[in-house]
Amino acid sequence: MSRRERDEAALEAEIARLPDLGHDELRKRWKLLFGRPAPKSLRRKFMARAVAYQMQVAAYGGLSAATKRRLREIATAISNGDRTGAFSGVQIKPGTQLIRQWQNTTHTVMVLDEGFALDGRTYKSLSAVAKAITGTHWNGYAFFGIKRATRANKAAAGATRKSRLTNQRDSEGDARVPSRNSNESDSRA
């Protein structure tokens, strides 16, 4: 067993023992991990979970600065009563055309202010568009090859796969939607 595996096993064992600790012992650990006393109103069960989380943060890293910023934006939007602003994700500007070839048919989707247009129909989400095209459930952003913003704290985010997106051309030389690699087939349906 490697040192890392031993350290992870020891951390897991210590976290597993936290629910059995008394209020006073949890308060000591809280102060050690957070650098300040635990609020007096915290229940033991919640305190054990918070201490466990902070132990994992110390061992593996915490949320990235970008994630913390986004969480603050969501909290501010909700406190101001703006639920739509709170849950908006990747923004694609209205007027953008998304092109995807699926089973030898090219599909062009227009991004609208309130949804997406395909073949004269309006859809609320890209996932609904992808389902209309394929007949199966897809993550719309993945289906159209839309990349998400890179994470600022890669250590906290964990391992990432290297993207193999390439711009390809179809048999007529027209630009195609990026695909993962030249051997990808659209046979998910």
Side-chain angles (χ1 to χ4, degrees), residues 7 13 40 51 62 95 113-114 134-135 164 180:
D7 290 346
K40 299 219 183 280
V51 167
D113 287 323
E114 297 294 325
T134 66
R164 298 184 308 273
R180 299 217 184 277

Side-chain angles (χ1 to χ4, degrees), residues 62-79:
L63 298 174
S64 68
T67 300
K68 289 178 184 177
R69 183 173 49 254
R70 181 66 185 132
L71 289 172
R72 280 191 301 275
E73 290 169 1
I74 291 169
T76 301
I78 288 176
S79 68

Side-chain angles (χ1 to χ4, degrees), residues 100-129:
R100 175 65 153 93
Q101 186 171 10
W102 178 258
Q103 296 182 344
N104 299 322
T105 303
T106 301
H107 302 275
T108 303
V109 175
M110 176 67 71
V111 179
L112 307 172
D113 287 323
E114 297 294 325
F116 304 90
L118 171 70
D119 299 332
R121 292 192 59 201
T122 302
Y123 298 87
K124 289 185 179 184
S125 69
L126 276 179
S127 296
V129 173

